[in-house]
Amino acid sequence: MKFTKIFFLLLNILIIQSCQKKVECVTKLKFDKSLWLKNQQKDCYKDREKMLYDLLDNHKIKGLKYSEICELLGNSEIESSSHSKHIKYIITTKNDSTIESKFSKELIIFLNKDSIAESIIVAKSDKSDESDK
């Protein structure tokens, strides 16, 4: 009886570990500037999410000037308010049957008054959750 419990416990641990490694291999991709820019031109962002974590882990964005960010990631959508200025890069969008996107993920880089990156966030928006409320 004790052997059976230990066997199933070890089997579950192995299954969980194998699934985690498989997911990491499938979902991560080394940042490739040309692929990032190519996705932007086609308005198709399928590979950006796979490259996002490598970009954040291995490429220093914080401290870069706006022009350097554009050199690395291409043109962006710039938004300003009275208290902040930031640029956005679409990482992924998923649409439903309407024109509006149902889910989106964006890389948002906040710039200081000298247009130097101060902070970075990855923002997710799920409009299906909002409509259910």
Side-chain angles (χ1 to χ4, degrees), residues 96-107:
D96 57 12
S97 58
T98 65
I99 294 173
E100 290 188 32
S101 65
K102 186 174 182 179
F103 172 83
S104 67
K105 185 186 283 188
E106 299 173 326
L107 174 66

Side-chain angles (χ1 to χ4, degrees), residues 61-78:
I61 297 173
K62 191 174 176 181
L64 291 179
K65 296 177 185 175
Y66 173 73
S67 59
E68 295 170 322
I69 297 168
C70 289
E71 177 66 29
L72 178 65
L73 302 175
N75 294 330
S76 65
E77 181 181 326
I78 302 173

